[in-house]
Amino acid sequence: LTEPPGSHLAAEAMRVAGLLLAWALLCPASTQQCHLAGPGGVLRFTDTHAEIRVPALHRVPSSLDPLYGLVRRCLDLIQQNPLPTELLRAALNDPGSVRTSQVVQYELGYVVCATVALLFTVAVPVAGMCFCYCRSRRRCGGRLRAHRRSLGCRRHCLLACLSLTSLVILISVICAFVTSQRVKGQMEPGLGAVPATLRTLRQHIAHVPQGVQMVVDQFEVPRQQIISDLGGKHRAGHWWAPSQASHYDETLRGTRCLAGLSRSVGLSIHTQLKAMTYAALADLQDRAGDLQTSLHHLQIVDKTTRALASARAELEPALRERRRRVVALLDDPRCTSCASVLGTAQSLELGADYSKVPSVEKVLKALSGLPRSDFAEMIRQGNGTFNSIPELAVERMAQVIQDLRDEMARMTEKVQSIADGFPLPDYTRPVSEALVKAEDRSQPYLQEVERFEQYRWIAGTVLCSIILLILACNVTGMALGTYGLSKREDPSDYECRGEAGAKLLLVGVGLAFLFSWLLILLVFATFLVGGNIQTLVCRNWVNQEIYKFIDTPGNLPPSMNLTRQLNLRRDSNLSATYWECKSGAGLWEVLQLDRSYDLDEHLKTAKYTADFQKRLSDFTARLGDVRLLRSEGRQDLETFARSGMDEVDYRRFQEEMKNPVVQTSLPGLARSLEGLQKMQRNVTVAGRLAAEARALWQMQNSTVQSQEALVAKLAESVQFLSRLAPHLQERVKTTLATTASVEARLPVQAQQILRQEIGCFTRKELRYLAQYLNWVGQTLREDVASCQPLATALDNGRVILCDRIADPWNAFWFSLGCCTFFLIPNIIFAIRLTKHFRPIRNRLM
């Protein structure tokens, strides 16, 4: 209270200037942020073509892979010639010019194998007939003439050789059974996959226009997102009061996620300007409170000082009379030991004189009739107007929101033009027609292949069963013969079990002679088909020689020109197209449609968003016109500042309040008189001392204490006024300046935030549209018109034909051929062994 008023004014001015500077520095930085739900998210579009993919097939590892590899190596040895380009060209373009010698020369390995098969077919049955003739003459297959010691070793050797050949035949026939069944199991789904794949490819090609339309229909994703951003459901607003600021902030945070463009703009304006506005309103409320409180304390000071002055005038004669009576009593000679208190009683007089303090009547007269305006209502209205900015933004922006919704409908029509002008169907129609022809023409051939496969499986199963019967005769014959030999004591004796074993071996020999020619014919027929498929088709399919042959001009007749039938560009070929499709290229790239249709031009964002942007950029609205302080309120505050309250000398009040109401303590003097009473011997003096003590106590309790209460009340008011008065004018001046500044800044800042938020919204929505248009371009080029299914279909055809059918087919004839050729040593060993199971004619020691 003793500091000079100027220091407080300077400190207050520096504080306010610092706050305004900080706000000015921070406010532009904060307005650079977008409050409309942050940056645009990533849109998710539906994969429109997952259902028309051609599933890729792969070679499945098998336990028969070593056998397949062995067969392929054997075929590579048999057919070492590369793809017969000249022969195929002549066969396709001029079949009559093909000479047999050319075919024989190319198929020389198969001709040699055919010769071997023919010799086998003739020689084995002839040998069988000769054997039968000899048996009828008893010249072969009979009994041993004499017993020798070396017969046991020879018999064991024959048994081992026959067992070994039977084991080889058994393994081979098992492989033949397994591979035959595998061919049967793969043939039906493999043949069914041909028309299914052609239909899938045709559906894929036919689905391209629908796919384009489905891609265009995906515009609904960004459209719905933009419509949602333009307007959404929101909660009702709440009025602000200083005690409800935190609650209102929570409400704003809760409604932001549900708000559309208009309400989000209002919320952003409110959020970014609320600190400044609420600070100005709180400052204004403080000044209004200072006015009310100061007026109240000034009235207290005026009334209290008057009451204290009046009470002092009333107390002075009573106190003077009481002092005279007490002094006279204490000065009485009969009063024992009263001299010690006499000095205190003589000093009994009044203390503080409040008639000397400054008067505040002039200040009260200046403040008479204030406040003339209702500051509480004024602040409430200012709060309400500011807090209604979100609802006002919804109202002011309703028309532009509706215009933007209508613009989105027109934008949908513009996007539809992409599907209407897309040229791909003109290029895919020939491909669809070619696939339809291929599917129709393949049906008869596939049915014939399926029918012949059924015959092959039946023949193979029957012949493999006969081989198993031959093996059963071998095994049973060897078992019975060996058992009979172990039970025969004399080699020349007849033993039925040994004879039965010999006859079973001869039955197996007879079956081998009887059916071996059928076996070799089945082996050669399947070998000729499967071998040529492997060496002529599969091997050249894997090393891409077939594609090179097709790509070479002149190799194919005009009716089989795939480049023209598939409508490929002239500088393209099947190999390049295959690898482009396999790498994921689309028909757009393969056919180079960009030469006839500029897709990028149709997908420029500005083509669809120009009107949308223009409507947003042209929109203006005043959303920050808030009146915080009316003219009568401003006049009240200016009158308050000029009232002279700061000119009152409050130190005089404080110095006077340091003095007590009575200089001498009445309670102390009363207690001293009571103590003297007890010491008196004179009853009259003692009674008078007790009466004077009671009078002093009554004066203290009735008069002095009430004045002390008024002094305490006066001290409280003086203390408040003394603290406020030095800073009153500066605070009022700052409040008025801040209020005026906020009222001027609010519209400007609100307009800046409006433009900023609309710009943020525009950028976010344009990102959505750019995402969609980029996705459309990528999808139309790579997904909707993808030619990868064509490459996958070719690869699947190779897997089905070569890996799943040709490999087990070739393994079948290879296994059956092993059985057939091992029947020759089987026959020889069986015939030789039958003699050992029969009794010997002459026993030689």
Side-chain angles (χ1 to χ4, degrees):
L1 296 176
T2 58
E3 295 180 0
S7 62
H8 291 284
L9 294 176
E12 185 68 18
M14 292 179 63
R15 183 181 70 84
V16 174
L19 289 176
L20 291 176
L21 179 60
W23 177 83
L25 293 175
L26 294 177
C27 186
S30 64
T31 58
Q32 299 301 318
Q33 302 176 358
C34 290
H35 294 81
L36 283 173
V42 178
L43 298 179
R44 302 297 181 187
F45 302 101
T46 304
D47 185 4
T48 59
H49 287 276
E51 70 280 0
I52 59 173
R53 297 296 187 193
V54 177
L57 302 178
H58 303 283
R59 179 184 181 89
V60 180
S62 171
S63 57
L64 295 175
D65 285 346
L67 177 60
Y68 297 159
L70 177 62
V71 175
R72 284 195 294 270
R73 286 191 290 272
C74 292
L75 289 174
D76 289 339
L77 291 175
I78 294 171
Q79 177 58 282
Q80 300 181 4
N81 296 322
L83 183 70
T85 305
E86 299 296 331
L87 183 60
L88 289 176
R89 181 190 296 116
L92 292 173
N93 291 277
D94 187 10
S97 64
V98 178
R99 298 190 300 273
T100 306
S101 59
Q102 293 177 316
V103 178
V104 171
Q105 182 180 0
Y106 177 74
E107 298 280 345
L108 184 60
Y110 294 99
V111 172
V112 173
C113 293
T115 304
V116 174
L118 180 61
L119 290 175
F120 188 94
T121 304
V122 174
V124 174
V126 170
M129 288 187 290
C130 293
F131 176 73
C132 291
Y133 178 77
C134 291
R135 279 295 297 147
S136 65
R137 298 289 183 176
R138 297 181 181 273
R139 294 185 178 179
C140 57
R143 296 185 291 174
L144 294 173
R145 295 181 178 274
H147 177 74
R148 296 181 178 85
R149 294 180 178 178
S150 61
L151 289 178
C153 180
R154 188 181 302 172
R155 182 170 60 248
H156 289 104
C157 182
L158 290 173
L159 280 170
C161 291
L162 184 58
S163 300
L164 182 60
T165 54
S166 298
L167 180 61
V168 173
I169 293 173
L170 178 62
I171 295 174
S172 299
V173 77
I174 291 174
C175 290
F177 264 122
V178 172
T179 53
S180 178
Q181 192 62 34
R182 184 159 296 184
V183 171
K184 184 177 185 300
Q186 294 292 338
M187 185 66 73
E188 183 176 356
L191 296 177
V194 174
T197 301
L198 293 176
R199 281 194 301 271
T200 303
L201 291 176
R202 185 159 46 84
Q203 291 171 1
H204 174 70
I205 297 300
H207 197 74
V208 168
Q210 301 176 21
V212 174
Q213 184 60 48
M214 293 171 68
V215 170
V216 170
D217 291 342
Q218 286 293 300
F219 180 69
E220 189 67 14
V221 175
R223 193 185 77 85
Q224 288 295 340
Q225 182 63 48
I226 294 173
I227 292 297
S228 175
D229 291 345
L230 280 174
K233 297 180 180 179
H234 57 271
R235 304 171 187 171
H238 294 264
W239 296 109
W240 177 89
S243 60
Q244 298 175 334
S246 61
H247 172 71
Y248 189 75
D249 292 342
E250 293 295 331
T251 302
L252 292 182
R253 284 193 290 270
T255 57
R256 184 175 299 280
C257 62
L258 300 174
L261 170 62
S262 55
R263 186 161 182 82
S264 293
V265 167
L267 292 175
S268 296
I269 294 174
H270 186 280
T271 300
Q272 297 185 48
L273 300 181
K274 66 180 180 181
M276 175 179 67
T277 306
Y278 288 170
L281 289 172
D283 198 19
L284 182 60
Q285 190 176 36
D286 290 342
R287 298 293 80 75
D290 289 345
L291 173 59
Q292 293 281 2
T293 308
S294 299
L295 185 60
H296 171 69
H297 283 293
L298 286 170
Q299 292 172 349
I300 290 176
V301 169
D302 184 61
K303 291 179 182 179
T304 305
T305 52
R306 291 176 183 275
L308 287 172
S310 175
R312 187 179 189 280
E314 293 177 0
L315 180 60
E316 184 177 7
L319 183 63
R320 188 167 51 250
E321 177 62 22
R322 187 59 51 198
R323 180 181 62 187
R324 185 188 63 78
R325 291 174 64 89
V326 172
V327 170
L329 179 59
L330 294 176
D331 198 29
D332 191 337
R334 293 175 296 175
C335 186
T336 305
S337 300
C338 293
S340 60
V341 185
L342 182 60
T344 303
Q346 290 175 346
S347 63
L348 187 63
E349 59 184 11
L350 292 175
D353 186 1
Y354 289 95
S355 62
K356 300 178 181 180
V357 297
S359 175
V360 294
E361 289 183 2
K362 180 181 178 180
V363 179
L364 286 173
K365 185 178 180 180
L367 297 178
S368 177
L370 296 184
R372 287 183 292 272
S373 58
D374 189 350
F375 281 95
E377 178 63 20
M378 191 186 309
I379 293 173
R380 190 189 69 81
Q381 290 180 0
N383 290 334
T385 304
F386 178 72
N387 291 333
S388 65
I389 287 178
E391 284 75 17
L392 182 62
V394 172
E395 178 184 347
R396 298 282 178 84
M397 298 184 70
Q399 184 59 46
V400 72
I401 295 297
Q402 184 59 44
D403 293 342
L404 292 175
R405 290 175 181 269
D406 297 339
E407 183 59 36
M408 291 305 300
R410 288 189 289 272
M411 198 180 299
T412 303
E413 298 176 358
K414 294 179 182 178
V415 173
Q416 180 60 38
S417 65
I418 298 175
D420 298 338
F422 202 65
L424 196 57
D426 298 336
Y427 292 84
T428 57
R429 191 177 300 108
V431 180
S432 298
E433 295 173 355
L435 291 173
V436 171
K437 292 180 181 179
E439 184 178 353
D440 294 339
R441 293 177 180 178
S442 65
Q443 289 295 341
Y445 296 103
L446 295 176
Q447 293 174 0
E448 289 297 319
V449 170
E450 187 175 4
R451 184 165 61 88
F452 283 113
E453 164 57 22
Q454 187 69 20
Y455 295 155
R456 181 210 63 81
W457 181 80
I458 294 173
T461 303
V462 171
L463 292 177
C464 288
S465 300
I466 293 174
I467 294 175
L468 289 178
L469 183 58
I470 294 172
L471 292 177
C473 291
N474 287 349
V475 174
T476 308
M478 286 188 291
L480 290 175
T482 303
Y483 184 69
L485 289 177
S486 64
K487 295 298 183 181
R488 189 168 60 186
E489 298 179 356
D490 189 348
S492 60
D493 293 340
Y494 178 80
E495 213 286 320
C496 63
R497 286 180 288 264
E499 184 67 24
K503 289 181 180 181
L504 284 173
L505 289 176
L506 290 177
V507 170
V509 170
L511 292 174
F513 280 127
L514 185 62
F515 292 101
S516 59
W517 68 277
L518 290 175
L519 286 169
I520 198 64
L521 287 179
L522 180 61
V523 168
F524 179 72
T526 53
F527 158 73
L528 188 62
V529 175
N532 277 291
I533 290 177
Q534 172 61 36
T535 57
L536 187 62
V537 179
C538 295
R539 186 171 63 189
N540 294 293
W541 199 338
V542 172
N543 57 27
Q544 306 294 312
E545 289 297 326
I546 289 181
Y547 296 144
K548 295 178 183 178
F549 174 80
I550 295 174
D551 293 336
T552 303
N555 283 349
L556 296 179
S559 60
M560 299 177 62
N561 191 333
L562 295 180
T563 301
R564 187 176 67 242
Q565 289 186 2
L566 298 179
N567 201 19
L568 300 177
R569 62 179 188 270
R570 293 183 178 181
D571 59 343
S572 179
N573 54 53
L574 188 60
S575 298
T577 302
Y578 167 77
W579 285 111
E580 287 178 1
C581 293
K582 190 174 181 65
S583 62
L587 292 178
W588 181 274
E589 180 180 351
V590 172
L591 301 178
Q592 291 187 346
L593 296 181
D594 53 349
R595 297 179 178 180
S596 59
Y597 186 80
D598 192 353
L599 183 60
D600 291 333
E601 180 65 27
H602 288 78
L603 296 179
K604 286 184 177 180
T605 306
K607 181 178 180 180
Y608 305 95
T609 61
D611 294 338
F612 188 88
Q613 289 180 268
K614 188 175 185 302
R615 290 185 183 276
L616 285 172
S617 60
D618 292 346
F619 174 76
T620 56
R622 292 186 63 85
L623 298 175
D625 293 336
V626 179
R627 189 71 179 274
L628 302 181
L629 183 63
R630 291 193 294 268
S631 58
E632 58 270 21
R634 182 178 298 274
Q635 292 175 3
D636 285 351
L637 292 180
E638 291 176 349
T639 302
F640 179 43
R642 296 194 303 268
S643 64
M645 191 181 73
D646 55 333
E647 299 174 358
V648 177
D649 189 0
Y650 297 101
R651 285 181 294 179
R652 293 280 304 276
F653 284 92
Q654 294 167 353
E655 291 173 356
E656 199 64 38
M657 285 186 292
K658 293 179 182 179
N659 299 322
V661 176
V662 180
Q663 291 289 353
T664 302
S665 173
L666 294 181
L669 181 58
R671 283 191 290 272
S672 298
L673 295 178
E674 290 173 350
L676 290 174
Q677 176 196 354
K678 298 175 182 179
M679 300 171 58
Q680 300 303 316
R681 297 174 182 174
N682 191 315
V683 177
T684 303
V685 173
R688 290 177 62 188
L689 286 172
E692 292 300 328
R694 284 193 301 271
L696 289 174
W697 279 114
Q698 183 179 3
M699 183 178 291
Q700 173 67 29
N701 294 332
S702 62
T703 304
V704 176
Q705 283 187 355
S706 62
Q707 292 187 36
E708 289 177 347
L710 290 175
V711 171
K713 186 176 181 180
L714 177 64
E716 181 181 352
S717 297
V718 169
Q719 185 179 8
F720 172 81
L721 294 172
S722 63
R723 284 200 308 267
L724 177 63
H727 314 291
L728 176 61
Q729 291 191 14
E730 185 64 28
R731 286 182 180 178
V732 171
K733 181 180 179 181
T734 302
T735 299
L736 295 176
T738 302
T739 304
S741 174
V742 170
E743 288 180 345
R745 285 175 176 270
L746 276 176
V748 177
Q749 293 293 332
Q751 188 65 23
Q752 292 177 357
I753 296 172
L754 171 67
R755 301 313 314 164
Q756 167 204 326
E757 294 298 328
I758 288 180
C760 291
F761 174 82
T762 304
R763 290 191 295 273
K764 186 178 76 167
E765 307 313 319
L766 291 183
R767 279 194 291 269
Y768 287 139
L769 294 172
Q771 283 184 48
Y772 168 73
L773 294 175
N774 291 335
W775 175 80
V776 168
Q778 181 180 1
T779 304
L780 292 181
R781 289 185 175 98
E782 302 176 5
D783 190 15
V784 170
S786 174
C787 72
Q788 192 169 23
L790 301 176
T792 304
L794 290 175
D795 292 339
N796 290 350
R798 181 187 58 78
V799 171
I800 292 173
L801 177 63
C802 300
D803 296 339
R804 299 191 177 184
I805 294 179
D807 278 350
W809 176 288
N810 290 326
F812 166 73
W813 65 253
F814 185 83
S815 301
L816 194 62
C818 288
C819 295
T820 304
F821 282 102
F822 270 93
L823 284 178
I824 297 176
N826 179 81
I827 292 172
I828 296 172
F829 294 141
I831 293 174
R832 298 290 300 272
L833 190 58
T834 56
K835 298 181 179 181
H836 292 272
F837 293 156
R838 289 175 173 162
I840 299 175
R841 295 180 182 178
N842 300 313
R843 181 177 181 181
L844 300 177
M845 301 304 293

